[in-house]
Amino acid sequence: MTKLEAVIQPSKLDAVKDALLEIGIDGMTVIEVRGHGRQKGHTEFYRGREYSVDLLPKVKLEIVMQDEMVDAAVDAIVKAAQTGKIGDGKIFKSKIDDVIRIRNEERGPNAI
Amino acid sequence: MGAGPGRRLKAASFLVIPFLLLTACPLVAQAPAASQAQQIADLQQKVTAAQSNADNGWMLMCSALVLMMTGPGLALFYGGLVRKKNVLSTMLQSFSMMGVVSVLWAIIAFSLAFAPGSHFIGGLQHAFLHNVGAAPDADYAGTIPLQTFMIYQLMFAIITPALITGAFAERIKFSAMMVFLSAWSLIVYAPMAHMVWGKNGLLNAALGGRFPCLDFAGGTVVHVTSGVSALVCAIYLGKRVGYPKEPMPPHSVVLSVIGACMLWVGWFGFNAGSALSAGSLATSAFVATHFGAAAAAVAWSATEWVLHGKPSALGAISGAVAGLVAITPAAGFVSPISAILIGLIAGVFCYFMVAKVKAKLGYDDSLDAFGVHGAGGTLGAILTGVFASKAINPILKDAQGNALNLGVVDGNWSQLGYQLVGVVIAWVLAAIGTIILLKVIDLTIGLRVSSDDEVDGLDLTQHGEEGYYWEASAR
């Protein structure tokens, strides 16, 4: 099993969700996060005082899936979230040892 | 404040004459002259009572509006400007004035401000609200109960110390703040209110003051005193931990916008209510107040737009408040166009005080109580001497009853001097009173929370609660 963590622009969340649903992925955890990579922040002014905000709002999706779904899922996320500008985000891929469904303690791929 | 009664006699005669024609004529034939005179006397009494009720209704309404300026108006305005961890402590600092100042007012402060006394402070005749009842005091407001006047003035006494809390927000001990502001309202506010508005007050333009300073609704009494005290507090307490290196942006400009809008609305009670009657003078003050606020919001926003490329919500509301502050002494003395000019000047001036001068001088006036109220109040008091006009309010009269010139627009330059005297007295009284109180409290209970407590936030360390409770943290 594989976990994809996709950090994307908040405005692309709906598009990404739809694209994942289309290939049959309907479970995910979505978290509001802040961060930055190469994208520099912006400045805000409050009564003439300048604040540079370098941690920008992003949305992170965490999706665990069977290994054979991964390529299609990555493809779907990239297509839906890409604008071509700095700040589009990243996808992190990692192996998952086990999944446990809390309701009935089911384990492994069936619990996804 | 200090305004003469309106011109309601004319309106009253419209009511009386047709009524007399209808009722008195048939009576002439039968009734003796004495009962006619009696009827006229009864009518006059009813007319007086009707006017009194109208004025009283308006003044009770205005009292409620001015209380709304402190809570929730100022509490929201200031609460939005601090960091999340201090939102409740900041709101409570304003709210607690609604409690403690009210009690002090009843016990002694109203008497010190408005009972007959010296040039500088009132006597104790009204202590414990003695003789403050339904009978009017004609020197202050002849058509409303003295009790109404008392409760209306109390609302001013509440918001004035609450304004100061913007200067020491996010770092003062709650206990120190309570002691400081309670004492402040007795040794700074009450004498200043007496000097400007009290009988025989040194600066009272209407009631025989030596230096007739025009202050319609409290430019010197409320804004200069609170603003200057705020500056002294900011300097004496020192900067917040991490200021100015750490960013300390407002945690919710949304709350501040709501609060500022309530201040704007409440200010109609503050300024138009200072006519102390529901006549045309109240209208004049109401109109000037509105145009002053509007012009200053435009001016601050435009300045910010030019200098930073964007007009901000915080800028627009700060401008409106600055305009309201500056128009406070002038409302009731100036034309709508003069009010717009005062607002435009105040918007630009206070922007520079807040955005440039504060940064240059390096003091940490957390929420710009001085930059807006001290600076705007001083500017407004001086501009009142420029724009006040006898055509708007013939408050000063010579022995023959002719209206005397008021401000520079009437050709009277000496009024500027009187305004300056008022401003200087307010600055000196506020600064000295504040320094003494801070010193005493510093040496006894201490002023600031520990820096650990400051980092954790005052909500948690002073009050044991949080403004935004995270349910998952509960056990």
Side-chain angles (χ1 to χ4, degrees), chain B residues 364-409:
Chain B
D364 180 14
D365 175 5
S366 319
L367 314 182
D368 298 308
F370 174 72
V372 174
H373 297 276
T378 302
L379 178 77
I382 292 166
L383 290 180
T384 301
V386 176
F387 290 106
S389 167
K390 65 178 174 184
I392 306 297
N393 187 349
I395 184 178
L396 300 180
K397 298 199 168 78
D398 63 12
Q400 282 76 44
N402 301 314
L404 293 171
N405 290 336
L406 294 184
V408 173
V409 290

Side-chain angles (χ1 to χ4, degrees), chain B residues 99-131:
Chain B
V100 72
V101 173
S102 299
V103 174
L104 285 173
W105 194 249
I107 295 172
I108 194 167
F110 173 69
S111 192
L112 293 180
F114 290 101
S118 69
H119 279 322
F120 301 97
I121 192 146
L124 296 176
Q125 294 91 324
H126 289 314
F128 294 96
L129 301 182
H130 183 65
N131 279 339

Side-chain angles (χ1 to χ4, degrees), chain B residues 127-448:
Chain B
F128 294 96
L129 301 182
H130 183 65
N131 279 339
V132 180
D137 183 330
D139 285 340
Y140 293 131
T143 59
I144 59 171
L146 182 58
Q147 207 166 47
T148 301
F149 178 77
M150 179 279 295
I151 202 77
Y152 179 66
Q153 290 299 336
L154 164 58
M155 304 316 174
F156 285 62
I158 288 172
I159 195 168
T160 308
L163 292 170
I164 303 174
T165 64
F168 48 56
E170 306 197 287
R171 60 195 183 284
I172 199 167
K173 267 188 197 173
F174 186 71
S175 54
M177 184 227 52
M178 289 300 277
V179 173
F180 169 59
L181 291 182
S182 302
W184 188 90
S185 68
L186 295 178
I187 76 157
V188 177
Y189 185 80
M192 195 63 207
H194 185 78
M195 278 189 262
V196 177
W197 295 330
K199 291 177 203 190
N200 198 29
L202 186 71
L203 303 165
N204 194 322
L207 295 174
R210 196 165 296 171
F211 304 100
C213 170
L214 297 175
D215 186 354
F216 193 75
T220 52
V221 180
V222 173
H223 298 290
V224 175
T225 56
S226 63
V228 170
S229 298
L231 177 65
V232 173
C233 287
I235 294 169
Y236 191 102
L237 263 80
K239 298 167 185 174
R240 285 166 290 178
V241 172
Y243 182 90
K245 268 192 172 164
E246 275 175 35
M248 298 178 181
H251 91 279
S252 172
V253 178
V254 175
L255 295 184
S256 299
V257 171
I258 300 170
C261 294
M262 299 187 111
L263 281 170
W264 190 330
V265 172
W267 227 292
F268 293 131
F270 198 93
N271 287 2
S274 287
L276 296 172
S277 67
S280 60
L281 184 60
T283 304
S284 164
F286 195 117
V287 168
T289 301
H290 185 71
F291 285 121
V298 170
W300 186 306
S301 298
T303 311
E304 199 177 43
W305 208 337
V306 169
L307 295 180
H308 289 301
K310 289 191 180 100
S312 70
L314 180 57
I317 61 173
S318 304
V321 173
L324 289 162
V325 167
I327 201 66
T328 292
F333 295 122
V334 301
S335 71
I337 300 304
S338 296
I340 289 178
L341 290 174
I342 291 173
L344 290 175
I345 298 168
V348 176
F349 178 69
C350 290
Y351 171 82
F352 279 99
M353 288 304 291
V354 163
K356 306 289 172 195
V357 174
K358 183 172 82 160
K360 272 264 158 58
L361 298 181
Y363 57 89
D364 180 14
D365 175 5
S366 319
L367 314 182
D368 298 308
F370 174 72
V372 174
H373 297 276
T378 302
L379 178 77
I382 292 166
L383 290 180
T384 301
V386 176
F387 290 106
S389 167
K390 65 178 174 184
I392 306 297
N393 187 349
I395 184 178
L396 300 180
K397 298 199 168 78
D398 63 12
Q400 282 76 44
N402 301 314
L404 293 171
N405 290 336
L406 294 184
V408 173
V409 290
D410 283 353
N412 178 23
W413 285 83
S414 60
Q415 189 59 44
L416 262 185
Y418 294 134
Q419 297 302 108
L420 274 176
V421 170
V423 165
V424 168
I425 289 179
W427 268 75
V428 171
L429 175 64
I432 293 178
T434 303
I435 289 171
I436 293 172
L437 289 176
L438 291 179
K439 193 84 207 167
V440 170
I441 295 169
D442 196 13
L443 293 174
T444 49
I445 49 183
L447 283 166
R448 283 184 74 140

Side-chain angles (χ1 to χ4, degrees), chain B residues 92-103:
Chain B
L92 184 61
Q93 284 172 5
S94 288
F95 188 86
S96 57
M97 291 303 110
M98 292 162 62
V100 72
V101 173
S102 299
V103 174

